[in-house]
Amino acid sequence: MIIVVIYIWILILLPEVDGYINERKCNVHYNVVDCSRLALTSIPKHLPTHATSLDFSRNNITVVRAFTFQDFQNVTELHLEYNLIQSIDKMAFHGLQRLQQLHLGVNSLTMLPSGVFDNLNCLEYLSIDNNKLKDYQANQIKELSTLLSLRTFSFDIYPNFQFPGQWSTLTKLDHLMIFPKSKKVRFSKEMFAHINVMPITFLHLHKVPYISEDFFEYFPKLNSITLWPGSDLPNNPINQIFRSFGVFKGKNITNIEIAYSRFENQFNLDYNQMKYLWPICLKRLTLHDLYITSIGLYAFQRFSVASKCLEYLEVSENIILGQGGTLYGYIQNLKKMKVLKLLDNTRYNRLKRSEPKNLNVILPRTLEELYIENDIHDYLCNVIFNNSLNLRVLSLKHNHMKSCKGSFKGATNVEYFDMSGWTCTQVSVNLLYGFPNLRTLKAEASLLGKGFKNTANSGSFLSKSLKIRDVNLSSNKITTIPKGLFIRPFEQLSSVNMSHNNLTVFPQFHSRIKQLKRIDLTFNAITHLVEDDIDQIEKLGEVELLLKGNPFQCTCKTLQFLKWLGESKRVRDILDVTCVTDTASRTFMSEVISDLKTFEISCKTKFWLPFAVSITSIVVLAIILTVVFFRYKYAIEYFLLRFKMKMKNYNELQQEYIYDAFISYSHTDSVWVKQFHDKVNSMGFELCLDAKDFIAGESIAVNVINAIDSSRKVIFIITHDFLKSTWGSYEMELTRMHAFQKGREDMVIIVVKDKIKVSDMPKILKSIWFKIICIQWPNEDNLPYNTEERFYEKLKISLQQNEESTGNVVI
């Protein structure tokens, strides 16, 4: 009997458990419940009833049962779009007296039950588009006529659709979004015979198979139109669309947007289309992704003169061929223009000048924002803006500027400038001089590292922009910040982004910079911060740092840096910061800081250990000598070999090297090494390779010593086969001894070709790990941050560095 009772209770509680599990998946933030993208097949139970927004979109729900939401009396927004809903019970929305938005689009509904919208007296937004309600319009149209508060309605239509007379009760409906579900739909005046009694101000047609010239006559209050003609139609309706605008002659229209009509027969925007636009007092015009190949100059001239009201013009993602800057000559005629966007248009036949020239650009006096993006493939010349005192935003990003040696003049009030994506192999220090009021500079991925390097006095790049607040120089391959770049009194500077560069030191800032809030140095090559860096940071005020992705060192030498990290709250991403310890293992910085006392004690122990050993060495001298003999047999052999060579009148080279580097490798990897040698050799470096440079008749040991003596660097190609090779260990020992004897500890470059952990490296290599340069060959674990091109660039930098300037770097 007891077992039966327990079983019954399990059956009773099982739905609650299931609802609880689903609830745990949902993201509840205050009054917003987000259950989207969870692959739910039903609506979970026991969600918080105080919620005002419920989102179940993008799941696999098939049915909405009656009384599902009866306890959610505060909900104003309900999302059920992008599901597999086939049916909704009559009382499904019972209890949602305050519901204002209901999203049912992109489902599989074939019908809606009578009375499903009853008592939704506050509903203002309803979308039922992209369903299968083909017969809904005829048989159950009266259901919508009860939604007296409805303002926005999105629905499907089919051929022979007629706007229902019953909807005349929707006196507040002003936004209409229509989705034709057939290529045979014809938008005609008669289709909307009953709509002129409604205050429709916004109309969106998601596809336009056909539209008549008089279609808009029954929309007397229309203020904004978006037309997406589509690309899967029998014919391009673009000419019909422009002719339909003829009914707006002499009227005020806020917005016309025509977008997404990429027909293979292309489209020439000429007088026959534009003549329907200029008689309209139009404020905003967007022509996006229409496959426009050219704009008639005469038509655009007439349009620019006759368009007395235009404030916003966007022509984007077309393929306007070879017109270059011709159209810019007529832009000045747009007397009220505030925003001009020419984005991603010119893709072929771009102008290519060999020498920069002056360019005069005459703008409308009212222009405030100018966006010309991914439209220019040229040298940056000296650009002189006229009538530009109101210009505040200038975006020229993703234009392929071959050189950045030009400058800008005339736009003295520009506050936002975007030059991201340029290829600045050369930079003019005067580039920004024409923007004395600049507040935001975005120069992401513009190759400024190379540009600064090739420019004298590049530290003056920001010297005239003393009002700047935000600087983004990320992803520019900057290894050294130009001297003086931030040593200016930028009193309003609040954010500096230098992430994804190759910086090894902390930037230096002017002492008068007190408003700095964030410095982003993530993914650089900084190993630690020195005392001067820490003092500077403390003087900068409440600045926060982002430091993850740097090869920090957690060693006794960086103990002061670690102590500061433990006490400071400035590093916001400290939980993501990692470091390399003395044992060459990588760990989270926070773990080291949490046990900093133990770490400090271990460092003190390391300090006193030599003293203790020196006292006890007298007692254990015999044992130590024996251990030394076996442990340092390679060193002994090295000195014996040196002595033998000296006896043969061998003359050592004195700071004159025949080769840039000697390659040590396993002969199992000879094919790859040959390719590596040829690649580096083509970069201008002379490499010593045993197969071509060892002297016949000499012993291998003598050849190795000669190769090391004759080379500025020694490159070890570390692979699994190399680690198994006894000759590899031998050559490493000889190199270590040679470097120690000659004071060349920084001569070693490690190329890790295979996936090998630092812990698996030979002891000899780990013992000098922080005195070598380590470069990782690209693999799937470090892509896309480490490519073959980046690998050889790092190698080139390493080979060019003098030994005395080479830091302890792991790249």
Side-chain angles (χ1 to χ4, degrees):
M1 183 64 182
I2 296 176
I3 296 176
V4 173
V5 172
I6 294 174
Y7 180 72
I8 293 173
W9 274 105
I10 291 175
L11 293 178
I12 293 173
L13 294 176
L14 194 57
E16 295 184 7
V17 173
D18 179 64
Y20 178 78
I21 292 174
N22 284 327
E23 177 186 352
R24 295 291 291 180
K25 294 180 180 179
C26 298
N27 181 18
V28 179
H29 185 69
Y30 296 106
N31 295 326
V32 177
V33 178
D34 185 0
C35 299
S36 62
R37 303 175 187 271
L38 297 179
L40 300 175
T41 57
S42 62
I43 296 174
K45 300 178 181 179
H46 303 288
L47 296 171
T49 56
H50 63 268
T52 58
S53 175
L54 297 175
D55 189 350
F56 304 106
S57 63
R58 300 183 185 276
N59 283 295
N60 300 320
I61 300 171
T62 57
V63 178
V64 183
R65 297 299 184 187
F67 306 106
T68 298
F69 306 105
Q70 63 178 348
D71 296 327
F72 298 91
Q73 298 181 2
N74 296 317
V75 169
T76 60
E77 186 175 348
L78 177 59
H79 290 267
L80 291 167
E81 69 270 30
Y82 290 96
N83 275 283
L84 305 174
I85 300 175
Q86 299 177 5
S87 65
I88 299 177
D89 290 352
K90 177 180 178 180
M91 303 299 290
F93 306 122
H94 177 75
L96 298 175
Q97 293 92 343
R98 299 182 182 180
L99 189 64
Q100 297 177 8
Q101 295 186 32
L102 178 56
H103 300 259
L104 295 172
V106 196
N107 278 290
S108 300
L109 290 168
T110 57
M111 64 167 292
L112 291 171
S114 177
V116 70
F117 299 126
D118 286 354
N119 300 318
L120 298 183
N121 299 323
C122 297
L123 194 65
E124 297 181 358
Y125 180 100
L126 174 63
S127 64
I128 58 173
D129 58 88
N130 288 286
N131 278 283
K132 300 178 181 179
L133 299 168
K134 185 173 182 179
D135 299 325
Y136 175 72
Q137 302 165 144
N139 299 332
Q140 296 160 326
I141 208 71
K142 61 181 181 180
E143 297 298 328
L144 293 175
S145 62
T146 62
L147 300 175
L148 302 182
S149 298
L150 196 64
R151 293 183 177 275
T152 301
F153 183 35
S154 176
F155 66 104
D156 301 330
I157 66 171
Y158 292 85
N160 302 318
F161 169 82
Q162 294 292 321
F163 193 83
Q166 295 95 321
W167 287 359
S168 60
T169 58
L170 306 179
T171 56
K172 295 183 179 181
L173 186 65
D174 57 3
H175 277 57
L176 206 59
M177 292 175 282
I178 302 173
F179 291 75
K181 306 306 292 183
S182 170
K183 299 177 183 179
K184 297 181 180 180
V185 170
R186 299 173 64 86
F187 287 103
S188 62
K189 176 180 177 181
E190 292 75 18
M191 180 186 292
F192 291 89
H194 302 288
I195 206 167
N196 57 354
V197 298
M198 308 175 74
I200 303 296
T201 59
F202 173 87
L203 177 64
H204 171 76
L205 303 183
H206 197 77
K207 183 180 292 185
V208 187
Y210 171 87
I211 187 169
S212 63
E213 293 185 23
D214 57 358
F215 171 71
F216 292 110
E217 287 187 4
Y218 281 157
F219 294 85
K221 297 183 179 181
L222 198 59
N223 190 41
S224 179
I225 307 167
T226 62
L227 304 176
W228 294 3
S231 57
D232 58 344
L233 303 175
N235 299 297
N236 190 345
I238 197 71
N239 290 325
Q240 300 171 12
I241 288 173
F242 277 96
R243 283 196 295 268
S244 69
F245 297 149
V247 301
F248 299 122
K249 183 177 181 179
K251 295 184 179 180
N252 297 330
I253 298 292
T254 298
N255 175 66
I256 291 180
E257 175 186 333
I258 312 173
Y260 306 111
S261 177
R262 298 189 59 77
F263 283 81
E264 292 184 359
N265 57 353
Q266 305 174 0
F267 166 47
N268 298 318
L269 185 61
D270 56 22
Y271 178 85
N272 292 326
Q273 292 88 28
M274 299 190 71
K275 68 181 180 181
Y276 295 102
L277 292 178
W278 60 66
I280 308 172
C281 185
L282 179 62
K283 289 187 177 181
R284 293 174 59 96
L285 175 61
T286 300
L287 303 174
H288 174 78
D289 200 11
L290 295 177
Y291 218 48
I292 299 175
T293 57
S294 66
I295 298 178
L297 295 182
Y298 172 71
F300 188 77
Q301 180 189 21
R302 288 287 307 273
F303 173 75
S304 64
V305 173
S307 297
K308 304 296 184 182
C309 306
L310 196 65
E311 298 178 0
Y312 177 100
L313 175 61
E314 176 182 337
V315 183
S316 56
E317 294 198 25
N318 294 287
I319 54 169
I320 301 172
L321 307 177
Q323 289 184 284
T326 311
L327 297 177
Y328 298 121
Y330 301 118
I331 292 174
Q332 59 181 306
N333 298 328
L334 298 166
K335 301 302 182 183
K336 292 188 176 182
M337 179 65 63
K338 294 182 178 180
V339 180
L340 175 61
K341 293 185 177 182
L342 303 174
L343 317 175
D344 302 291
N345 288 300
T346 308
R347 300 177 184 173
Y348 308 105
N349 296 342
R350 305 187 185 199
L351 295 178
K352 298 181 180 180
R353 289 191 292 268
S354 57
E355 294 292 337
K357 298 179 181 179
N358 293 333
L359 175 64
N360 280 278
V361 179
I362 305 177
L363 302 176
R365 295 182 183 275
T366 54
L367 192 66
E368 299 175 359
E369 301 179 20
L370 177 60
Y371 303 83
I372 304 176
E373 300 174 2
N374 197 22
D375 265 24
I376 304 174
H377 192 172
D378 210 341
Y379 294 93
L380 176 65
C381 58
N382 296 317
V383 181
I384 302 172
F385 290 108
N386 298 275
N387 299 335
S388 57
L389 293 180
N390 287 308
L391 190 63
R392 297 292 185 273
V393 176
L394 177 60
S395 178
L396 301 176
K397 68 179 181 180
H398 298 151
N399 289 305
H400 299 281
M401 298 296 187
K402 297 181 180 179
S403 168
C404 307
K405 296 176 66 175
S407 63
F408 298 92
K409 294 182 180 179
T412 55
N413 292 319
V414 165
E415 298 179 357
Y416 177 99
F417 178 58
D418 194 341
M419 54 179 286
S420 300
W422 290 16
T423 52
C424 297
T425 54
Q426 292 179 304
V427 181
S428 169
V429 295
N430 302 322
L431 181 66
L432 304 178
Y433 281 15
F435 304 141
N437 292 297
L438 190 64
R439 301 293 195 274
T440 301
L441 171 64
K442 295 191 69 175
E444 183 178 356
S446 298
L447 288 183
L448 283 176
K450 185 176 291 185
F452 286 154
K453 199 171 183 179
N454 295 333
T455 303
N457 197 28
S458 57
S460 301
F461 186 66
L462 298 174
S463 60
K464 301 298 182 180
S465 304
L466 299 182
K467 295 182 180 180
I468 200 157
R469 295 175 183 169
D470 302 303
V471 178
N472 186 341
L473 301 179
S474 61
S475 303
N476 274 287
K477 300 182 179 180
I478 299 174
T479 56
T480 303
I481 296 177
K483 185 177 181 180
L485 184 65
F486 295 117
I487 310 298
R488 312 281 174 182
F490 302 116
E491 297 183 356
Q492 301 179 38
L493 186 63
S494 63
S495 174
V496 174
N497 187 345
M498 298 289 295
S499 64
H500 293 88
N501 283 293
N502 301 319
L503 297 177
T504 58
V505 298
F506 191 83
Q508 299 296 307
F509 294 94
H510 195 278
S511 59
R512 287 173 59 181
I513 297 178
K514 301 296 184 182
Q515 301 298 318
L516 197 56
K517 301 300 180 185
R518 170 174 290 201
I519 302 175
D520 189 345
L521 294 172
T522 55
F523 298 100
N524 275 279
I526 301 172
T527 58
H528 67 285
L529 301 183
V530 298
E531 184 176 356
D532 290 343
D533 297 333
I534 295 173
D535 291 341
Q536 180 187 200
I537 293 170
E538 294 297 329
K539 294 177 182 178
L540 286 175
E542 299 298 324
V543 65
E544 69 176 30
L545 305 178
L546 299 175
L547 297 176
K548 71 177 180 181
N550 283 279
F552 288 115
Q553 298 176 3
C554 289
T555 66
C556 295
K557 293 181 179 180
T558 63
L559 183 59
Q560 182 182 4
F561 170 52
L562 298 177
K563 286 183 177 180
W564 176 78
L565 282 178
E567 298 170 356
S568 176
K569 304 298 182 183
R570 299 178 185 275
V571 182
R572 298 302 182 188
D573 57 350
I574 187 65
L575 296 178
D576 298 320
V577 177
T578 60
C579 65
V580 178
T581 65
D582 276 327
T583 59
S585 62
R586 183 168 294 278
T587 185
F588 283 101
M589 183 80 75
S590 57
E591 295 179 4
V592 177
I593 294 173
S594 65
D595 198 18
L596 197 57
K597 291 289 185 182
T598 304
F599 185 83
E600 187 174 3
I601 292 172
S602 68
C603 288
K604 291 180 179 179
T605 302
K606 293 175 183 178
F607 173 78
W608 288 105
L609 186 59
F611 178 74
V613 171
S614 65
I615 295 176
T616 58
S617 62
I618 299 174
V619 179
V620 294
L621 182 59
I623 300 175
I624 292 176
L625 290 175
T626 304
V627 172
V628 167
F629 175 79
F630 287 101
R631 185 173 181 181
Y632 298 100
K633 61 180 181 179
Y634 286 121
I636 296 171
E637 183 177 348
Y638 172 83
F639 285 112
L640 290 175
L641 185 61
R642 281 287 183 186
F643 180 77
K644 181 179 178 181
M645 294 173 67
K646 190 174 183 179
M647 294 298 293
K648 291 183 177 181
N649 298 320
Y650 169 79
N651 294 321
E652 296 183 355
L653 296 174
Q654 299 296 325
Q655 301 300 323
E656 294 182 3
Y657 304 113
I658 300 174
Y659 307 102
D660 293 291
F662 164 56
I663 304 176
S664 176
Y665 65 101
S666 168
H667 283 80
T668 309
D669 306 311
S670 58
V671 175
W672 186 89
V673 171
K674 177 63 169 60
Q675 297 173 352
F676 170 85
H677 170 274
D678 294 343
K679 175 67 176 180
V680 178
N681 191 58
S682 66
M683 296 163 59
F685 297 103
E686 183 65 28
L687 302 183
C688 179
L689 198 64
D690 57 356
K692 68 181 183 66
D693 296 310
F694 277 17
I695 300 173
E698 290 285 2
S699 67
I700 295 178
V702 172
N703 272 309
V704 170
I705 289 294
N706 284 331
I708 295 173
D709 270 345
S710 303
S711 304
R712 286 191 305 107
K713 304 280 186 178
V714 177
I715 301 174
F716 290 99
I717 309 298
I718 304 299
T719 64
H720 292 296
D721 291 317
F722 183 88
L723 297 181
K724 298 175 184 178
S725 170
T726 56
W727 271 110
S729 300
Y730 181 77
E731 291 177 353
M732 276 193 275
E733 283 287 353
L734 290 184
T735 301
R736 185 176 77 94
M737 294 304 303
H738 175 83
F740 176 81
Q741 185 194 34
K742 302 300 182 181
R744 299 174 62 196
E745 287 89 350
D746 299 323
M747 68 185 293
V748 180
I749 299 175
I750 299 299
V751 173
V752 183
K753 181 177 179 292
D754 295 339
K755 294 182 181 178
I756 301 173
K757 298 180 180 178
V758 176
S759 58
D760 296 331
M761 294 291 183
K763 287 185 178 181
I764 179 60
L765 197 55
K766 289 191 285 187
S767 67
I768 60 171
W769 186 254
F770 296 108
K771 297 180 179 181
I772 63 176
I773 298 174
C774 181
I775 309 177
Q776 177 70 56
W777 178 254
N779 58 61
E780 63 271 12
D781 292 337
N782 54 40
L783 291 173
Y785 303 105
N786 187 27
T787 62
E788 185 172 335
E789 180 182 0
R790 183 168 174 76
F791 167 83
Y792 281 110
E793 181 179 351
K794 293 176 182 177
L795 184 64
K796 180 179 179 180
I797 294 173
S798 302
L799 288 174
Q800 288 175 337
Q801 289 177 327
N802 295 325
E803 291 170 14
E804 61 271 19
S805 65
T806 303
N808 301 332
V809 180
V810 179
I811 304 179

